[in-house]
Amino acid sequence: MKLLVIGSGGREHALVWKLAQSPRVRQMWCAPGNAGIAEERLAKDQSLVECIAIGAEELPRLLAFAREKQADLTVVGPDNPLALGIVDLFQENRLRIWGPNQKAAQFEASKVFSQNFMEKYGIPTAKGDSFDDLETARAFVWKLNGECAIKADGLAMGKGVLLTETIADAEVALHQLMVERKFGDAGKRIVVQELLRGTEISLHALCDGRRFKLFPASQDHKRSHDDDEGLNTGGMGAYSPAPFLDDRQLAQVGQQLLDAWLRGCEAEGIDFRGILYPGVMLTKDGPKVLEFNARFGDPETQVYLTRLENDLVELLEASVDGALDETKLKWTPMPSVCVVMSGGDYPSASSKGKPITGLDEAAKFPNVKVFHAGTALAGDQIVTNGGRILGVTALANDLRSARDAAYAAVERIHFDGVHFRRDIAAKALS
Ligand code: AMP
């Protein structure tokens, strides 16, 4: 089989690494990939994965490439190409592609769509409403006493959400989104929700249009600094399983949220084939959906795929073919922990061209995998090239050992301005 993977982050490195283990894959490209992806080899014949210089949003060029190379399956990592309709485009051209089509990707691309959908189909979520007018939005934040999550409607690299505790802060947030247009046109329409309190977990469900298979729970760490201080980021670390739900509770939560979601999809004619990733708050009134994403989480993918025992190619094919009833997900009971190493100014700015040392030493730890996110090659030297640079991921017999192994490997790696959180998985261990 010949595979094309789209994207360039830590999630895509994990996808490529796992897909490359399938004995069925004999050639793989990644567009555009990164320095770590370019070092991956296929299990079948040890040939290298090839990175090609086509951006994840260059749909016509991606289509031309997949056609020319006769890729048997294209796997889409990031949200933007999904929202732009890459799946529809490939399908119109009779090319096989994994991911939700444009209509289904709206769950992530439009917070207004998701909020309305959740209300219509009785999916527990935060009380909220959507607005395109500043004055009515202001009246609503006053009603919530300023304790709000204020969200730009469109995609904003996971950063278009402002959390506020006071009316003054909420007014500033509304101004930033709707008047200053901090996130551009994504702020034309906004959703304002009540601020939910509790423990946040990530759920992932592989869907085939008619049914879903739920993954174990995981937990991301969204804020840039320890103790959940600092700015909201794409994610600074993750681990799985998250111990806040046992298997029975997880299945219950999955049913409570996802059965209603699936009924809604059927009623609306939405054919969702891909990963549905709901962010969920476990509140004192039960689990509530904060948002839906329509792709794998980053860095959740890194911890899931190090634990997954199935052939990922087979799972993605079953998802595309509507054949998930025949598959059973298999996970190692060993927990996995991923610590993200970023540039010091992330998420405000990215790091470029700083040499990264110690990668070889880190790779010598057993059961540790260093996934690259923002890296590039400058001659023979691997250098920084983004906000999040690496995701150091370790698997061990228990969570504490996995966390210790990940941090031991992190300590071997260095680049100028390196930053990472020191409390990944701490909530589960305390
Ligand atoms: P979203 O992109 O909607 O997931 O929001 C990003 C992050 O903001 C989430 O992962 C939560 O940590 C936080 N968040 C979003 N909505 C709410 C809410 N209603 N209450 C509390 N926190 C929220």
Side-chain angles (χ1 to χ4, degrees):
M1 244 184 129
K2 294 188 278 184
L3 295 192
L4 170 62
V5 177
I6 295 175
S8 62
R11 162 185 50 217
E12 287 76 22
H13 190 180
L15 285 166
V16 164
W17 169 81
K18 183 68 185 171
L19 291 165
Q21 291 168 26
S22 170
R24 294 173 51 202
V25 179
R26 64 181 174 89
Q27 202 166 8
M28 199 187 315
W29 303 273
C30 187
N34 61 38
I37 290 173
E39 288 181 341
E40 290 300 334
R41 292 180 183 276
L42 304 183
K44 190 177 178 67
D45 60 3
Q46 292 303 303
S47 63
L48 280 167
V49 174
E50 194 184 331
C51 290
I52 52 166
I54 305 179
E57 288 159 40
E58 296 184 77
L59 271 47
R61 291 187 65 204
L62 291 166
L63 175 67
F65 183 87
R67 250 196 190 143
E68 182 202 323
K69 300 290 184 186
Q70 300 183 325
D72 298 298
L73 181 67
T74 296
V75 176
V76 189
D79 48 7
N80 272 356
L82 296 170
L84 291 169
I86 192 168
V87 171
D88 312 63
L89 178 70
F90 272 51
Q91 286 173 346
E92 282 156 22
N93 286 276
R94 296 207 166 74
L95 284 169
R96 233 159 157 238
I97 183 164
W98 177 80
N101 59 26
Q102 197 169 28
K103 187 173 181 186
Q106 281 183 97
F107 280 108
E108 175 156 15
S110 171
K111 304 239 184 232
V112 172
F113 171 84
S114 275
Q115 183 78 18
N116 292 341
F117 184 96
M118 286 193 275
E119 276 165 24
K120 186 166 174 189
Y121 294 102
I123 300 169
T125 183
K127 195 165 58 191
D129 213 337
S130 46
F131 304 92
D132 52 17
D133 163 74
L134 182 65
E135 287 313 311
T136 26
R138 282 186 66 209
F140 193 66
V141 309
W142 275 78
K143 224 163 85 184
L144 294 176
N145 204 23
E147 294 172 46
C148 311
I150 302 181
K151 308 184 176 189
D153 178 41
L155 297 176
M157 307 271 293
K159 294 170 206 148
V161 176
L162 302 169
L163 305 178
T164 63
E165 301 265 359
T166 64
I167 288 174
D169 285 353
E171 293 251 16
V172 171
L174 286 181
H175 200 266
Q176 284 179 340
L177 252 59
M178 300 187 87
V179 183
E180 295 161 39
R181 290 286 170 87
K182 192 170 170 185
F183 300 106
D185 280 348
K188 248 189 209 160
R189 287 198 301 171
I190 62 161
V191 167
V192 180
Q193 291 179 333
E194 66 177 320
L195 190 71
L196 293 177
R197 297 179 204 273
T199 300
E200 192 177 342
I201 57 164
S202 300
L203 297 184
H204 278 57
L206 183 63
C207 307
D208 71 353
R210 280 174 295 164
R211 56 185 86 68
F212 62 85
K213 298 273 169 169
L214 193 60
F215 287 17
S218 64
Q219 189 172 48
D220 188 4
H221 299 66
K222 295 272 184 202
R223 300 296 190 97
S224 59
H225 285 76
D226 287 10
D227 299 324
D228 296 329
E229 306 258 340
L231 295 174
N232 237 340
T233 70
M236 294 300 296
Y239 64 95
S240 173
F244 311 104
L245 299 168
D246 61 28
D247 286 350
R248 193 182 51 85
Q249 290 166 318
L250 176 70
Q252 251 174 11
V253 168
Q255 272 164 12
Q256 211 175 337
L257 305 178
L258 293 179
D259 284 353
W261 172 80
L262 207 54
R263 275 198 304 279
C265 285
E266 274 162 15
E268 302 285 329
I270 296 172
D271 183 6
F272 195 106
R273 297 173 195 229
I275 286 278
L276 184 78
Y277 151 23
V280 172
M281 190 74 90
L282 303 174
T283 74
K284 61 177 176 28
D285 305 320
K288 296 191 177 178
V289 175
L290 295 175
E291 59 155 358
F292 284 121
N293 301 290
R295 35 102 198 153
F296 271 109
D298 187 347
E300 289 92 333
T301 309
Q302 290 84 319
V303 293
Y304 281 137
L305 296 188
T306 44
R307 297 189 60 217
L308 183 69
E309 290 178 336
N310 301 70
D311 181 330
L312 184 59
V313 174
E314 284 179 8
L315 292 186
L316 300 190
E317 284 199 312
S319 162
V320 170
D321 295 342
L324 271 180
D325 52 337
E326 291 156 26
T327 53
K328 185 169 180 336
L329 301 185
K330 285 178 256 159
W331 306 94
T332 167
M334 293 165 89
S336 180
V337 174
C338 173
V339 177
V340 169
M341 303 178 79
S342 73
D345 296 329
Y346 177 72
S348 308
S350 55
S351 165
K352 279 233 171 341
K354 313 271 189 227
I356 305 173
T357 57
L359 288 168
D360 290 344
E361 270 183 74
K364 285 183 193 144
F365 284 85
N367 288 330
V368 167
K369 175 71 190 171
V370 180
F371 291 113
H372 290 220
T375 65
L377 264 184
D380 287 343
Q381 175 66 51
I382 295 180
V383 298
T384 63
N385 187 39
R388 290 186 290 176
I389 309 297
L390 301 166
V392 180
T393 309
L395 205 59
N397 285 333
D398 59 76
L399 192 63
R400 193 174 295 277
S401 311
R403 184 202 54 178
D404 291 348
Y407 278 110
V410 162
E411 295 297 343
R412 302 298 162 105
I413 300 173
H414 188 75
F415 49 89
D416 262 5
V418 60
H419 166 73
F420 55 89
R421 277 181 63 157
R422 292 184 183 274
D423 64 345
I424 303 304
K427 285 196 192 91
L429 292 166
S430 63

